[in-house]
Amino acid sequence: ELPKHDIKIITGDFNAKTGNDSMGMQEIMGKHGMGNRNNNGERLVSFCDFNNLIITGTIFPHRDIHKATWKSPDGRTKNQIDHILISRRHRITVLDTKVLRGADVASDHYLGRTKLRGKLKKINTVHNPRRKYDTIQLNQEATKKKILINTPKQIPSTRNKHSRGRKRNRRN
């Protein structure tokens, strides 16, 4: 289980055609998909519904060449089968999702890109290396006596008595 405030992003080749019919599923997907929904598309939509995710590639209107994520080896068939999913709670952070056809990735799939608007917050962590002592107890007589008994009569100096400063040995 992930924290509620984290942005959940899932990307992948789902081989799922979600289609452009979003009737009854407007919270999960937009009306700008490609083609008709297949079995994997049905599974993906129900997965998104169960996990409060949205399919970002179907939300924004683009020409089909910027929606198709796969092309057949003969180049005639193009489908939108790779998807970028994001938590429904963070839908407003998605600015755009688009396919980049010019990226040379040596594959029959095109590279998908989602632009997000992010606002980073400073996390306040309490990191105080100084110890806090209860100094009110020092005013009590019993505490004063314990301190006087446990403190040595003379505290040795940490400074060497003979060294008053730095002396240099000079050779002539």
Side-chain angles (χ1 to χ4, degrees):
E1 187 71 22
L2 297 172
K4 190 168 136 181
H5 61 276
D6 284 358
I7 298 176
K8 296 153 196 81
I9 301 173
I10 301 172
T11 64
D13 177 8
F14 297 101
N15 286 329
K17 296 182 194 178
T18 55
N20 53 12
D21 181 22
S22 65
M23 292 299 288
M25 297 176 207
Q26 290 86 359
E27 292 182 5
I28 300 164
M29 58 184 283
K31 59 183 178 180
H32 300 288
M34 280 184 70
N36 297 317
R37 188 172 303 139
N38 65 3
N39 266 351
N40 288 346
E42 290 290 339
R43 284 190 215 129
L44 181 65
V45 168
S46 64
F47 173 79
C48 290
D49 188 29
F50 182 76
N51 292 295
N52 292 321
L53 300 169
I54 60 166
I55 304 168
T56 62
T58 62
I59 296 172
F60 303 99
H62 290 294
R63 296 184 356 215
D64 282 350
I65 61 169
H66 295 294
K67 291 187 221 176
T69 59
W70 173 83
K71 71 174 177 179
S72 64
D74 64 2
R76 291 182 184 170
T77 307
K78 295 179 182 179
N79 285 313
Q80 185 180 24
I81 58 172
D82 305 333
H83 298 283
I84 300 170
L85 315 175
I86 191 166
S87 51
R88 193 178 301 165
R89 180 172 193 229
H90 295 97
R91 160 65 181 96
I92 58 170
T93 63
V94 180
L95 298 175
D96 190 27
T97 296
K98 185 176 183 176
V99 171
L100 304 176
R101 296 176 61 225
D104 185 16
V105 291
S107 173
D108 55 346
H109 293 261
Y110 294 121
L111 186 65
R113 177 195 67 196
T114 295
K115 289 184 182 179
L116 301 173
R117 174 188 12 220
K119 188 173 186 181
L120 301 176
K121 285 187 175 181
K122 181 182 176 185
I123 298 174
N124 294 331
T125 57
V126 179
H127 181 69
N128 190 356
R130 296 174 54 187
R131 283 185 164 174
K132 292 184 179 182
Y133 296 100
D134 188 7
T135 57
I136 296 172
Q137 291 183 7
L138 293 175
N139 294 331
Q140 299 173 358
E141 287 300 319
T143 308
K144 286 181 186 179
K145 286 180 184 177
K146 283 181 187 176
I147 292 172
L148 288 174
I149 291 170
N150 294 329
T151 305
K153 298 289 183 203
Q154 186 178 18
I155 300 174
S157 174
T158 57
R159 190 171 181 199
N160 190 348
K161 294 177 185 177
H162 301 293
S163 64
R164 298 248 170 183
R166 275 184 120 175
K167 291 184 180 178
R168 289 189 201 168
N169 290 334
R170 289 189 178 175
R171 291 186 180 177
N172 292 333

